């Protein structure tokens, strides 16, 4: 059967060339690594299951009390050697101002979850193309923290023997810590290194700073992890070296996401096609075409 023809205005017959359809040979790995619009039901389920799994594993890590206390003594001695053992002074100074320390207790108990979930929701709504990569940073950061809890049990300053630290939750009868008071049996008290209060708050702060263009929001985004550091020290829930551990975990999470998606979240396109539309260019081509701001 011959190819179809049409007659031109000049009376000549011309062959109609149909475009050749090239099958998409890109495999499932490529599709997994290509940012797509997230599904709400899947994300809610994933976050819920992931946090439940994180809590289960964290609390299942053996509470090695004696080793955790020895490690706390070593950390405290190292900070003294460095001349940076400031936790006790901050703890006592802030504890003397009742309204301030009570506020910090509630800050420690609530904002850790509220702000992190708020940033995830904002990313989902405003930056769907970057959501999966940013979420991967958070998940990888949290996953590697579990390894730290298992390999290096560490007592928080408030549980050290004869250290003079004040457990501010017990002292002021607030519920500012899952590891103090009536809730202490619900959480592993010797999983202080690394600090995920710092890991998560820094993730929130850097994410907002990179993607928001409102100046005062960018300033607050940088102040949030700094204030969180003050809170975890003032409430005697962490050494400042635990915060360093949280920063290292976040760096690991960023590296995992960048290797998987080919770029950090802020370098990916802000919007992506829906899952019913054909995939566009990959992250690297999108960046060359200037799709990322």
């Amino acid at each position: 059967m011959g190819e179809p023809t049409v007659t031109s205005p000049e009376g000549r017959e011309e062959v109609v060339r149909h475009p050749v359809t090239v099958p998409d040979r890109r495999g499932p790995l490529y599709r997994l690594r290509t940012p797509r619009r997230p599904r709400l039901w899947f994300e809610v389920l994933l976050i819920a299951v992931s946090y439940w799994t994180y809590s289960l594993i964290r609390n299942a890590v053996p509470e090695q009390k004696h080793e955790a206390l020895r490690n706390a003594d070593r950390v405290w001695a190292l900070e003294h050697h460095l001349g940076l053992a400031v936790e006790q002074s901050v703890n006592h100074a802030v504890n003397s101002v009742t309204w301030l320390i009570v506020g910090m207790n509630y800050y420690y108990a609530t904002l850790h979850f509220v702000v992190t979930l708020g940033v995830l929701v904002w990313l989902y709504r405003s930056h769907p193309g970057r959501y999966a990569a940013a979420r991967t940073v958070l998940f990888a950061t949290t996953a590697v923290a579990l390894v730290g809890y298992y390999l290096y049990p560490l007592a928080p300053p408030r549980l050290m023997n004869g250290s003079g630290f004040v457990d501010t939750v017990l002292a002021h009868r607030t519920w500012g810590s899952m590891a103090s008071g009536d809730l202490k049996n619900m959480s592993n008290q010797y999983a202080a290194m690394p600090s995920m209060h710092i890991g998560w708050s820094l993730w929130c702060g850097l994410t907002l700073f990179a993607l928001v263009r409102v100046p005062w929001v960018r300033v607050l985004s940088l102040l949030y992890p700094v204030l969180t550091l003050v809170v975890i020290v003032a409430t005697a829930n962490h050494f400042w070296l635990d915060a360093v551990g949280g920063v290292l975990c976040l760096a690991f999470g960023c590296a995992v996401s960048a290797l998987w998606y080919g770029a950090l979240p802020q370098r990916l396109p802000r919007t992506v096609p829906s899952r019913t539309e054909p995939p566009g260019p990959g992250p690297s081509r999108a960046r060359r075409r200037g799709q990322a701001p």
Side-chain angles (χ1 to χ4, degrees):
M1 182 182 294
E3 293 180 313
T5 62
V6 295
T7 303
S8 68
E10 292 79 11
R12 296 192 303 270
E13 288 189 348
E14 298 178 351
V15 177
V16 177
R17 302 288 185 185
H18 291 289
V20 178
T21 302
V22 179
D24 188 354
R25 300 184 183 278
R26 293 172 292 196
L29 182 60
Y30 174 86
R31 290 192 292 272
L32 284 173
R33 298 179 65 184
T34 301
R36 305 298 294 269
R37 187 173 297 277
R39 297 185 180 99
L40 179 59
W41 67 267
F42 177 78
E43 294 303 326
V44 172
L45 181 62
L46 179 64
I47 291 171
V49 171
S50 298
Y51 184 74
W52 175 79
T53 304
Y54 164 76
S55 299
L56 185 67
I57 295 175
R58 182 180 187 272
N59 296 336
V61 173
E63 290 197 6
Q64 304 173 54
K65 179 178 179 180
H66 298 296
E67 182 65 22
L69 289 172
R70 282 196 298 269
N71 286 337
D73 289 336
R74 295 185 186 111
V75 170
W76 191 226
L78 174 59
E79 291 189 355
H80 275 284
H81 178 72
L82 296 173
L84 296 172
V86 300
E87 288 89 343
Q88 191 175 82
S89 297
V90 175
N91 173 237
H92 286 199
V94 178
N95 185 65
S96 64
V97 184
T98 302
W99 65 266
L100 181 58
I101 193 60
V102 169
M104 286 189 174
N105 284 340
Y106 290 126
Y107 178 116
Y108 185 88
T110 59
L111 291 193
H112 181 48
F113 306 104
V114 173
V115 176
T116 304
L117 286 174
V119 173
L120 280 170
V121 171
W122 174 76
L123 283 168
Y124 177 87
R125 292 175 57 87
S126 302
H127 296 262
R130 296 162 177 154
Y131 173 86
R135 185 242 291 141
T136 298
V137 173
L138 184 63
F139 279 25
T141 298
T142 306
V144 75
L146 292 172
V147 179
Y149 299 148
Y150 184 84
L151 296 179
Y152 196 77
L154 180 67
R158 59 186 173 75
L159 292 182
M160 292 176 65
N161 296 322
S163 62
F165 283 96
V166 178
D167 188 328
T168 59
V169 171
L170 293 179
H172 298 278
R173 301 180 182 275
T174 58
W175 48 272
S177 172
M178 288 290 288
S180 291
D182 297 333
L183 299 177
K184 64 183 179 181
N185 294 324
M186 297 176 60
S187 178
N188 184 351
Q189 299 188 79
Y190 304 109
M193 169 66 84
S195 168
M196 280 298 93
H197 273 75
I198 292 300
W200 287 11
S201 66
L202 191 58
W203 174 84
C204 293
L206 293 179
T207 298
L208 292 174
F209 183 80
L211 299 179
V212 174
R213 293 294 173 261
V214 181
W216 65 268
V217 176
R218 301 186 82 198
V219 171
L220 288 180
S221 70
L222 295 183
L223 288 177
Y224 174 53
V226 174
L227 182 55
T228 300
L229 175 60
V230 174
V231 167
I232 67 172
V233 170
T235 56
N237 280 293
H238 289 280
F239 297 100
W240 66 261
L241 279 174
D242 299 343
V244 175
V247 173
L248 293 177
C249 287
L250 180 62
F252 173 84
C254 290
V256 169
S257 183
L259 287 172
W260 183 255
Y261 289 99
L264 290 173
Q266 65 268 24
R267 300 290 298 170
L268 296 172
R270 177 173 182 170
T271 58
V272 288
S274 66
R275 293 179 178 270
T276 58
E277 298 175 11
S284 59
R285 290 180 60 189
R287 289 196 303 276
R288 289 198 299 269
R289 293 173 58 184
Q291 293 185 17

